[in-house]
Structures are given as C-alpha cells and as structure tokens.
Amino acid sequence: MNVQLNDSGVPILRQKTFGQKVKTVLLWIILVILTLAAALLVYLCFAGASEMAALTTLKKVSDHPYYTMEYENFNYDDLLSQECDNNNQIIQFYKAKFFKGLSGMFPGEVEDDVYTKASLAFNSRTSSSHQVRGRIYSSYDTPILMVIAKPENGYKSWNLIDMADLGVLSGQHLNQWYDNAFQTIAATYCVSEGINSEFFGVSLISCPVAECDDTSKVNVTPFLAVRLLLDRVCTVDSAINLLNDYDIDFSSGTYHFSISDKTGKSAIIEYVDGKMSVTRPETDVFHQICTNRMENNTVRSADRDYSNRFRENSLYTEFDRTLNSMYGIGLGIDRTYAPLMLNDAAQSIAATNEEHAGTNMYGTLYAVTYDAAKMQMHITIENDSKSQSYSYDLQ
C-alpha cells in the first residue's frame, strides 16, 4: 500500500469530499433504521407471536369483501383482566400490547356504536333427528371476516365478524395493513356469530332491552362473551353456567344470545332488570327462533316501542310457520332446505340509506347454516351483483 509523505516524512491524510461524507452519513442512517426494524420485529414476535402469525394468514376470498383468517395458540387472560367495556377498548388493548406508549400514533378505533339489525337465528331438528342451525345477518355494507380460531386450551371454532363492529366501514379493506391491523387482530374477540368443533353454536342479536347488574364478577362485552362460549363450552347448560360467572356490559349496545348444542337443546339468554333470563323451547317443540324481538314474557310489551321496520316480527312468523308445518307432517326440516329458506328471506343490499325505511341499513350481508349430520358450515355472502357461497368442514 503506497502512502504519501510530506517533506518531514509524516503521512498525508486525504480529506473526504462532500459527496463521500454524505454517503457515509446515509449509510449510518440506513444501518440505524435496519437495526431498529430488526429490534421491532424481534419485539413483535415475542409480544404477539400468535397475532402476527394470524395476520399473515389473512386472505380476501370475495369482492363483498369477505375475508378469512386463522388464529391459533392464543390466550386472552390479560385481556379479560382489563374488563373492557366495548370493542374500542379491545382494539386499544392490542395497540398498547404491541406499541406500549406509542399506541396513540396508530389508527384504528370504533367511532360510532353499531347495532346489528334485522337478524334471525334458529335451531331445528331435521328429518333424521340431527340438528341444523342457521343465521341470517343484515347490517351495514361492510367487510365480513371469518376467523378459524384455535385457542391454547379450548375448542376449535369458526367465527363470523361484522367489521363495522370494529370501525371498518363500507369501502375499506382489511388488507390495508397499516389502517386496519389492530381491528383485524381484535376481531377475534368481537364475534357476533359462530360454532365450535363440538357443534355448540352462538348468535349475538341486537334487542330492545339488556341490562346486567354490576357485581364483583369479571366484566366482559357481549362479543367477548361469545368468544368465551365458543372456546370453553359444548352444551347449553354449561354455557348458562359460564355466563353466570361474568357480568355482561351492554353500555355499547343491547343484545341477547341464541345458543344451541348437538343434542338439540337450545335457549335464548336475555338480561332483564339486571338478571339473566333463560327462555327454552316449549315442550314437544323441536325448534327455537331468535330475532330482534324480546322473548322474555315480562318485557314482550317492549316490542311496542321497537317498530317492525327491521322485520323482526314478520321474520319470526315466517320461519315459525314453516318449521311448524314441517313438523306437522312428521318430517322435521330438511337440511338442504334450510339454506334456501334463509336465502329467500335475505334483503337485497340497498343503493341508498333511504331505501331501507330511512335507516343506515344496507341489507343482508350473509346467511349461514350449520349441519350436524355432515358437520359442515355453509355460508352465502351477499353483494350488489351476485351471491357467493362457501363451505367449511367443522372437524
């Protein structure tokens, strides 16, 4: 290596040009950014490995839009200890979990209360003495997410979430990661419909009256209660016992629960005057229907204050008449007829807010049936142009 010396024999040091100095600074900046990114990635992997893994499985299935996601090996004891009052607090919990004090820098929260309207769920015996369960869901024209969930210690389940309940509105997409990552993660704890591998099913439907006393029990939202039920129980009786261990906070919306199991038992759980009310089918009646109307006899008069513009009474009458007529000839409902009956009751998606009685409703988002004989789930996603159907094995 040749080194230039001055007259005194001292090596001459060359000065860097301005361009070389800028290049050196840029290289250091890039190195710092890469180091911070690597540290953040390592942190996220340890802080929320299950959540990050779930986001990588997010898939857009149809243009409704309808998405699916797989969420495994999750534990939410820390979330339960927070006693969240609403879905927005669940989103904030996951922001804080990932980014601690920086959570306020990231978007994603529920700005308005959203109520599920014109919905119906039913459980019925089929002609072969198996059970079929169904749900028609009408609400805003927003993304639907189906999460296939497998907790650390619990049953595998198939969960349907209306992303409007998490602040994702019409025209938005879940694959815009920065905008909707936290709603997508929190969605698993904001379930309005689902079934588990033991054929225990839950439907959360809005209703006029719901009030639960605030006691010393752990406080959960109605949506989080659905998560607990799908993960931890397989019978109607055990579901009632589990709900008795929690206080349900209805501050962000009033709902009741339609539940059923593979033995044919079913119940509608409501909260009236602060207490749980359980309505079961009448003797020798092999089906039960739940709509937006109350089923507790003492508050049935509340229907007078809750207009029928969302068709809850006409839907109930239509399905009750059909199911009764099938039992009248001793057959029970045919499991291939159940999805047809639901799809026939669907409302087309409205072009304007005013098209559905001046409300913000847009019509039916999906109709889903669960077949105990085949252990299959069949869902039809509605949109402006056509219906798209998908099937899943509940094994």
Side-chain angles (χ1 to χ4, degrees):
M1 180 178 180
N2 295 324
V3 178
Q4 288 186 319
L5 304 176
N6 61 18
D7 294 340
S8 302
V10 178
I12 298 173
L13 299 177
R14 292 185 177 181
Q15 296 292 324
K16 290 184 177 181
T17 65
F18 177 76
Q20 289 174 322
K21 291 180 179 179
V22 171
K23 185 177 180 180
T24 301
V25 171
L26 288 175
L27 287 173
W28 275 105
I29 291 174
I30 292 173
L31 180 61
V32 170
I33 291 174
L34 290 175
T35 302
L36 291 175
L40 178 60
L41 182 61
V42 171
Y43 168 76
L44 290 177
C45 288
F46 284 99
S50 296
E51 290 81 7
M52 294 300 293
L55 285 175
T56 65
T57 69
L58 182 67
K59 181 174 68 174
K60 185 177 180 181
V61 180
S62 75
D63 291 332
H64 170 75
Y66 168 56
Y67 294 85
T68 60
M69 185 175 77
E70 298 178 19
Y71 192 13
E72 298 183 354
N73 302 317
F74 59 92
N75 182 301
Y76 48 101
D77 290 341
D78 290 343
L79 175 62
L80 288 173
S81 68
Q82 297 295 311
E83 299 198 55
C84 298
D85 296 334
N86 54 60
N87 291 349
N88 196 51
Q89 290 183 8
I90 296 176
I91 297 171
Q92 297 301 328
F93 172 86
Y94 280 99
K95 283 188 185 182
K97 177 178 180 179
F98 280 89
F99 294 106
K100 305 299 181 184
L102 299 177
S103 62
M105 296 174 57
F106 296 88
E109 61 182 45
V110 182
E111 296 182 357
D112 302 303
D113 291 335
V114 178
Y115 298 91
T116 303
K117 301 297 185 183
S119 291
L120 175 144
F122 76 92
N123 181 69
S124 179
R125 188 181 70 179
T126 68
S127 55
S128 56
S129 296
H130 290 288
Q131 298 300 311
V132 62
R133 181 174 177 85
R135 169 80 182 267
I136 184 170
Y137 183 97
S138 298
S139 186
Y140 298 88
D141 185 20
T142 50
I144 296 298
L145 173 64
M146 200 270 280
V147 176
I148 302 173
K150 181 63 176 71
E152 286 183 356
N153 298 296
Y155 299 111
K156 184 177 182 179
S157 62
W158 291 256
N159 312 257
L160 288 166
I161 299 106
D162 179 359
M163 294 304 292
D165 292 327
L166 293 110
V168 181
L169 303 179
S170 180
Q172 293 181 295
H173 297 277
L174 303 188
N175 51 1
Q176 297 168 350
W177 193 92
Y178 178 76
D179 288 340
N180 297 314
F182 296 104
Q183 287 101 319
T184 305
I185 292 170
T188 306
Y189 309 99
C190 304
V191 183
S192 57
E193 170 72 26
I195 199 161
N196 66 23
S197 55
E198 297 298 310
F199 208 78
F200 173 82
V202 189
S203 299
L204 186 67
I205 298 179
S206 64
C207 63
V209 177
E211 180 182 355
C212 182
D213 288 339
D214 187 8
T215 68
S216 59
K217 300 174 184 177
V218 174
N219 189 72
V220 296
T221 69
F223 299 90
L224 189 50
V226 175
R227 169 84 280 128
L228 288 164
L229 290 170
L230 291 173
D231 292 345
R232 301 184 181 184
V233 306
C234 60
T235 68
V236 165
D237 293 336
S238 59
I240 294 169
N241 291 334
L242 183 144
L243 289 178
N244 270 320
D245 292 335
Y246 293 89
D247 289 338
I248 313 297
D249 191 305
F250 295 102
S251 58
S252 62
T254 52
Y255 300 89
H256 52 187
F257 302 84
S258 167
I259 62 175
S260 65
D261 61 36
K262 64 182 176 183
T263 70
K265 286 187 177 181
S266 65
I268 296 172
I269 300 175
E270 300 171 326
Y271 288 81
V272 179
D273 295 329
K275 308 298 181 184
M276 180 192 293
S277 169
V278 179
T279 302
R280 298 179 186 265
E282 297 179 4
T283 304
D284 297 328
V285 174
F286 301 103
H287 71 272
Q288 190 170 35
I289 302 167
C290 181
T291 64
N292 302 105
R293 76 178 200 175
M294 296 295 293
E295 293 304 314
N296 179 287
N297 289 328
T298 62
V299 293
R300 183 68 64 83
S301 60
D303 279 354
R304 289 198 297 267
D305 300 320
Y306 192 66
S307 72
N308 192 35
R309 62 180 177 176
F310 298 123
R311 301 193 308 150
E312 70 273 8
N313 288 328
S314 59
L315 274 174
Y316 187 101
T317 301
E318 176 184 347
F319 275 72
D320 189 49
R321 180 173 56 247
T322 301
L323 294 172
N324 275 322
S325 65
M326 290 182 173
Y327 292 124
I329 58 177
L331 293 177
I333 188 172
D334 186 285
R335 64 172 182 258
T336 61
Y337 181 71
L340 296 176
M341 185 168 62
L342 286 170
N343 292 334
D344 286 345
Q347 296 182 98
S348 61
I349 296 176
T352 65
N353 290 352
E354 291 74 24
E355 192 170 321
H356 281 302
T359 73
N360 289 325
M361 270 189 54
Y362 285 83
T364 298
L365 297 190
Y366 65 80
V368 59
T369 52
Y370 311 97
D371 184 346
K374 291 187 175 182
M375 284 299 287
Q376 285 186 339
M377 166 184 173
H378 182 83
I379 182 170
T380 300
I381 304 294
E382 304 286 347
N383 60 31
D384 291 316
S385 58
K386 61 180 180 179
S387 298
Q388 297 166 304
S389 299
Y390 309 92
S391 296
Y392 303 90
D393 288 327
L394 305 178
Q395 302 293 339

Short mmCIF file of all heavy atoms in Angstrom, two decimals, residues 64-65 112-117 137-144 162-165 168-171 310 349-350 353 356 359-366 382:
data_model
loop_
_atom_site.label_atom_id
_atom_site.label_comp_id
_atom_site.label_asym_id
_atom_site.label_seq_id
_atom_site.Cartn_x
_atom_site.Cartn_y
_atom_site.Cartn_z
N HIS A 64 -66.95 -8.97 -1.80
CA HIS A 64 -68.00 -8.30 -0.99
C HIS A 64 -67.52 -7.07 -0.23
O HIS A 64 -68.24 -6.06 -0.27
CB HIS A 64 -68.61 -9.29 0.01
CG HIS A 64 -69.50 -8.59 1.00
ND1 HIS A 64 -70.76 -8.12 0.68
CD2 HIS A 64 -69.28 -8.20 2.27
CE1 HIS A 64 -71.28 -7.52 1.74
NE2 HIS A 64 -70.40 -7.55 2.71
N PRO A 65 -66.43 -7.03 0.54
CA PRO A 65 -65.40 -8.07 0.66
C PRO A 65 -65.64 -9.04 1.83
O PRO A 65 -66.18 -8.66 2.85
CB PRO A 65 -64.12 -7.27 0.91
CG PRO A 65 -64.58 -6.04 1.60
CD PRO A 65 -65.96 -5.74 1.11
N ASP A 112 -68.33 5.07 16.11
CA ASP A 112 -69.77 5.10 16.36
C ASP A 112 -70.24 3.73 16.85
O ASP A 112 -69.68 2.70 16.49
CB ASP A 112 -70.54 5.45 15.08
CG ASP A 112 -70.12 6.81 14.52
OD1 ASP A 112 -70.22 7.79 15.27
OD2 ASP A 112 -69.70 6.85 13.36
N ASP A 113 -71.29 3.74 17.66
CA ASP A 113 -71.91 2.49 18.05
C ASP A 113 -72.63 1.89 16.85
O ASP A 113 -73.32 2.57 16.11
CB ASP A 113 -72.93 2.71 19.18
CG ASP A 113 -72.25 3.09 20.48
OD1 ASP A 113 -71.06 2.74 20.65
OD2 ASP A 113 -72.89 3.75 21.31
N VAL A 114 -72.47 0.60 16.66
CA VAL A 114 -73.09 -0.09 15.52
C VAL A 114 -74.01 -1.17 16.06
O VAL A 114 -73.62 -1.95 16.92
CB VAL A 114 -72.02 -0.71 14.60
CG1 VAL A 114 -72.69 -1.46 13.46
CG2 VAL A 114 -71.10 0.38 14.05
N TYR A 115 -75.23 -1.21 15.57
CA TYR A 115 -76.19 -2.18 16.05
C TYR A 115 -76.58 -3.14 14.92
O TYR A 115 -76.83 -2.72 13.80
CB TYR A 115 -77.46 -1.49 16.57
CG TYR A 115 -77.18 -0.60 17.74
CD1 TYR A 115 -76.86 0.74 17.58
CD2 TYR A 115 -77.21 -1.11 19.03
CE1 TYR A 115 -76.60 1.56 18.65
CE2 TYR A 115 -76.95 -0.30 20.13
CZ TYR A 115 -76.65 1.03 19.94
OH TYR A 115 -76.37 1.84 21.01
N THR A 116 -76.61 -4.41 15.25
CA THR A 116 -77.00 -5.43 14.29
C THR A 116 -78.53 -5.44 14.16
O THR A 116 -79.22 -5.62 15.15
CB THR A 116 -76.53 -6.80 14.76
OG1 THR A 116 -75.12 -6.75 14.95
CG2 THR A 116 -76.86 -7.86 13.73
N LYS A 117 -79.05 -5.25 12.95
CA LYS A 117 -80.49 -5.16 12.75
C LYS A 117 -80.99 -6.29 11.86
O LYS A 117 -80.24 -6.89 11.09
CB LYS A 117 -80.85 -3.81 12.12
CG LYS A 117 -80.43 -2.60 12.96
CD LYS A 117 -81.14 -2.57 14.30
CE LYS A 117 -80.81 -1.30 15.07
NZ LYS A 117 -81.42 -1.28 16.40
N TYR A 137 -78.04 -12.55 8.59
CA TYR A 137 -77.42 -11.38 9.22
C TYR A 137 -77.54 -10.19 8.27
O TYR A 137 -77.00 -10.21 7.17
CB TYR A 137 -75.96 -11.67 9.52
CG TYR A 137 -75.24 -10.56 10.25
CD1 TYR A 137 -75.09 -10.58 11.62
CD2 TYR A 137 -74.70 -9.49 9.54
CE1 TYR A 137 -74.44 -9.55 12.29
CE2 TYR A 137 -74.05 -8.46 10.20
CZ TYR A 137 -73.91 -8.51 11.57
OH TYR A 137 -73.27 -7.48 12.22
N SER A 138 -78.22 -9.17 8.74
CA SER A 138 -78.38 -7.96 7.94
C SER A 138 -77.85 -6.76 8.71
O SER A 138 -78.13 -6.59 9.90
CB SER A 138 -79.85 -7.73 7.59
OG SER A 138 -80.35 -8.79 6.82
N SER A 139 -77.06 -5.95 8.03
CA SER A 139 -76.47 -4.79 8.69
C SER A 139 -75.92 -3.86 7.63
O SER A 139 -76.44 -3.79 6.53
CB SER A 139 -75.37 -5.25 9.67
OG SER A 139 -74.87 -4.17 10.41
N TYR A 140 -74.86 -3.14 7.97
CA TYR A 140 -74.24 -2.23 7.03
C TYR A 140 -73.44 -2.98 5.97
O TYR A 140 -73.04 -4.13 6.16
CB TYR A 140 -73.30 -1.27 7.78
CG TYR A 140 -74.00 -0.40 8.78
CD1 TYR A 140 -74.19 -0.84 10.09
CD2 TYR A 140 -74.48 0.84 8.42
CE1 TYR A 140 -74.84 -0.05 11.02
CE2 TYR A 140 -75.13 1.64 9.34
CZ TYR A 140 -75.32 1.19 10.64
OH TYR A 140 -75.97 1.97 11.56
N ASP A 141 -73.19 -2.32 4.85
CA ASP A 141 -72.43 -2.93 3.76
C ASP A 141 -70.94 -2.82 4.07
O ASP A 141 -70.23 -1.98 3.53
CB ASP A 141 -72.77 -2.21 2.45
CG ASP A 141 -72.09 -2.87 1.26
OD1 ASP A 141 -71.70 -4.04 1.38
OD2 ASP A 141 -71.95 -2.20 0.23
N THR A 142 -70.47 -3.68 4.95
CA THR A 142 -69.10 -3.61 5.44
C THR A 142 -68.42 -4.97 5.30
O THR A 142 -69.08 -5.99 5.10
CB THR A 142 -69.07 -3.18 6.91
OG1 THR A 142 -69.98 -4.00 7.65
CG2 THR A 142 -69.48 -1.73 7.05
N PRO A 143 -67.08 -5.02 5.43
CA PRO A 143 -66.38 -6.30 5.29
C PRO A 143 -66.81 -7.31 6.33
O PRO A 143 -67.08 -6.98 7.48
CB PRO A 143 -64.91 -5.91 5.48
CG PRO A 143 -64.84 -4.46 5.13
CD PRO A 143 -66.15 -3.88 5.57
N ILE A 144 -66.85 -8.58 5.91
CA ILE A 144 -67.11 -9.70 6.80
C ILE A 144 -65.81 -10.50 6.93
O ILE A 144 -65.13 -10.78 5.94
CB ILE A 144 -68.22 -10.61 6.23
CG1 ILE A 144 -69.55 -9.85 6.16
CG2 ILE A 144 -68.38 -11.87 7.09
CD1 ILE A 144 -70.08 -9.39 7.49
N ASP A 162 -68.69 -8.99 11.82
CA ASP A 162 -69.02 -7.82 11.02
C ASP A 162 -68.01 -6.74 11.39
O ASP A 162 -68.02 -6.23 12.51
CB ASP A 162 -70.45 -7.36 11.31
CG ASP A 162 -70.85 -6.12 10.52
OD1 ASP A 162 -70.02 -5.59 9.76
OD2 ASP A 162 -72.01 -5.68 10.68
N MET A 163 -67.13 -6.37 10.46
CA MET A 163 -66.06 -5.44 10.80
C MET A 163 -66.57 -4.03 11.09
O MET A 163 -65.81 -3.19 11.57
CB MET A 163 -65.01 -5.43 9.70
CG MET A 163 -64.25 -6.75 9.55
SD MET A 163 -63.43 -7.31 11.09
CE MET A 163 -62.16 -6.06 11.26
N ALA A 164 -67.86 -3.76 10.82
CA ALA A 164 -68.43 -2.48 11.25
C ALA A 164 -68.41 -2.38 12.77
O ALA A 164 -68.31 -1.28 13.33
CB ALA A 164 -69.86 -2.34 10.75
N ASP A 165 -68.48 -3.52 13.47
CA ASP A 165 -68.43 -3.51 14.92
C ASP A 165 -67.06 -3.10 15.45
O ASP A 165 -66.90 -2.88 16.64
CB ASP A 165 -68.79 -4.90 15.47
CG ASP A 165 -70.25 -5.24 15.23
OD1 ASP A 165 -71.08 -4.32 15.25
OD2 ASP A 165 -70.56 -6.42 15.02
N VAL A 168 -64.49 -0.60 10.90
CA VAL A 168 -64.12 -0.72 9.50
C VAL A 168 -65.40 -0.55 8.68
O VAL A 168 -66.28 -1.40 8.72
CB VAL A 168 -63.45 -2.06 9.19
CG1 VAL A 168 -63.06 -2.14 7.71
CG2 VAL A 168 -62.23 -2.25 10.07
N LEU A 169 -65.51 0.53 7.94
CA LEU A 169 -66.77 0.89 7.30
C LEU A 169 -66.77 0.52 5.82
O LEU A 169 -65.80 -0.01 5.29
CB LEU A 169 -67.02 2.38 7.48
CG LEU A 169 -67.04 2.85 8.95
CD1 LEU A 169 -67.27 4.34 9.03
CD2 LEU A 169 -68.10 2.09 9.74
N SER A 170 -67.89 0.79 5.16
CA SER A 170 -68.05 0.46 3.76
C SER A 170 -66.95 1.10 2.92
O SER A 170 -66.59 2.26 3.12
CB SER A 170 -69.42 0.96 3.27
OG SER A 170 -69.61 0.65 1.92
N GLY A 171 -66.41 0.32 1.99
CA GLY A 171 -65.37 0.82 1.12
C GLY A 171 -63.96 0.59 1.62
O GLY A 171 -62.99 0.77 0.88
N PHE A 310 -87.52 -3.32 10.92
CA PHE A 310 -86.44 -4.25 10.65
C PHE A 310 -86.95 -5.68 10.51
O PHE A 310 -86.17 -6.62 10.53
CB PHE A 310 -85.39 -4.17 11.75
CG PHE A 310 -84.75 -2.82 11.86
CD1 PHE A 310 -84.78 -2.13 13.05
CD2 PHE A 310 -84.13 -2.25 10.77
CE1 PHE A 310 -84.19 -0.88 13.15
CE2 PHE A 310 -83.53 -1.01 10.86
CZ PHE A 310 -83.57 -0.31 12.06
N ILE A 349 -79.08 -5.68 -0.99
CA ILE A 349 -78.33 -4.55 -0.46
C ILE A 349 -78.85 -3.27 -1.08
O ILE A 349 -78.95 -3.14 -2.30
CB ILE A 349 -76.83 -4.71 -0.72
CG1 ILE A 349 -76.31 -5.94 0.03
CG2 ILE A 349 -76.05 -3.48 -0.33
CD1 ILE A 349 -74.87 -6.27 -0.23
N ALA A 350 -79.18 -2.30 -0.25
CA ALA A 350 -79.78 -1.06 -0.72
C ALA A 350 -78.75 -0.18 -1.40
O ALA A 350 -77.58 -0.17 -1.06
CB ALA A 350 -80.42 -0.32 0.45
N ASN A 353 -79.14 4.99 1.70
CA ASN A 353 -79.58 4.85 3.08
C ASN A 353 -81.09 4.84 3.19
O ASN A 353 -81.67 4.16 4.03
CB ASN A 353 -79.02 6.00 3.93
CG ASN A 353 -77.53 5.89 4.11
OD1 ASN A 353 -76.92 4.90 3.74
ND2 ASN A 353 -76.94 6.92 4.68
N HIS A 356 -83.98 1.51 2.79
CA HIS A 356 -84.50 0.65 3.85
C HIS A 356 -85.09 1.51 4.96
O HIS A 356 -84.48 1.75 5.99
CB HIS A 356 -83.41 -0.27 4.40
CG HIS A 356 -83.12 -1.44 3.54
ND1 HIS A 356 -84.08 -2.36 3.18
CD2 HIS A 356 -81.98 -1.84 2.94
CE1 HIS A 356 -83.53 -3.28 2.40
NE2 HIS A 356 -82.27 -2.99 2.24
N THR A 359 -83.23 4.26 7.09
CA THR A 359 -82.19 3.91 8.06
C THR A 359 -80.84 3.85 7.35
O THR A 359 -80.74 4.06 6.15
CB THR A 359 -82.48 2.53 8.68
OG1 THR A 359 -82.19 1.53 7.71
CG2 THR A 359 -83.92 2.42 9.12
N ASN A 360 -79.81 3.51 8.12
CA ASN A 360 -78.48 3.33 7.56
C ASN A 360 -78.23 1.87 7.18
O ASN A 360 -77.09 1.47 6.98
CB ASN A 360 -77.41 3.78 8.56
CG ASN A 360 -77.40 5.28 8.70
OD1 ASN A 360 -77.64 6.00 7.74
ND2 ASN A 360 -77.15 5.75 9.91
N MET A 361 -79.29 1.06 7.12
CA MET A 361 -79.12 -0.35 6.76
C MET A 361 -78.90 -0.52 5.28
O MET A 361 -79.41 0.24 4.47
CB MET A 361 -80.36 -1.13 7.17
CG MET A 361 -80.28 -1.68 8.57
SD MET A 361 -81.65 -2.79 8.82
CE MET A 361 -81.45 -3.90 7.44
N TYR A 362 -78.15 -1.54 4.94
CA TYR A 362 -77.90 -1.83 3.54
C TYR A 362 -78.39 -3.21 3.14
O TYR A 362 -78.26 -3.61 1.99
CB TYR A 362 -76.40 -1.71 3.24
CG TYR A 362 -75.92 -0.30 3.16
CD1 TYR A 362 -75.60 0.40 4.32
CD2 TYR A 362 -75.82 0.36 1.95
CE1 TYR A 362 -75.16 1.71 4.26
CE2 TYR A 362 -75.38 1.67 1.88
CZ TYR A 362 -75.06 2.34 3.04
OH TYR A 362 -74.63 3.65 3.00
N GLY A 363 -78.95 -3.99 4.07
CA GLY A 363 -79.49 -5.28 3.69
C GLY A 363 -78.71 -6.45 4.26
O GLY A 363 -77.92 -6.32 5.18
N THR A 364 -78.96 -7.63 3.70
CA THR A 364 -78.37 -8.86 4.21
C THR A 364 -76.91 -8.98 3.78
O THR A 364 -76.60 -8.88 2.59
CB THR A 364 -79.16 -10.07 3.71
OG1 THR A 364 -80.50 -9.98 4.20
CG2 THR A 364 -78.53 -11.37 4.20
N LEU A 365 -76.04 -9.23 4.76
CA LEU A 365 -74.62 -9.42 4.45
C LEU A 365 -74.31 -10.90 4.22
O LEU A 365 -73.52 -11.23 3.35
CB LEU A 365 -73.75 -8.89 5.59
CG LEU A 365 -73.83 -7.38 5.86
CD1 LEU A 365 -72.73 -6.98 6.82
CD2 LEU A 365 -73.72 -6.59 4.57
N TYR A 366 -74.92 -11.77 5.03
CA TYR A 366 -74.68 -13.19 4.80
C TYR A 366 -75.80 -14.03 5.41
O TYR A 366 -76.54 -13.58 6.29
CB TYR A 366 -73.33 -13.64 5.39
CG TYR A 366 -73.20 -13.55 6.90
CD1 TYR A 366 -73.75 -14.52 7.74
CD2 TYR A 366 -72.52 -12.50 7.49
CE1 TYR A 366 -73.63 -14.45 9.11
CE2 TYR A 366 -72.39 -12.41 8.87
CZ TYR A 366 -72.94 -13.38 9.67
OH TYR A 366 -72.83 -13.29 11.04
N GLU A 382 -73.66 -12.10 0.44
CA GLU A 382 -74.45 -11.29 -0.48
C GLU A 382 -73.64 -10.06 -0.90
O GLU A 382 -72.88 -9.50 -0.12
CB GLU A 382 -75.75 -10.83 0.20
CG GLU A 382 -76.60 -11.95 0.74
CD GLU A 382 -77.32 -12.72 -0.34
OE1 GLU A 382 -77.37 -12.25 -1.50
OE2 GLU A 382 -77.84 -13.82 -0.05
#
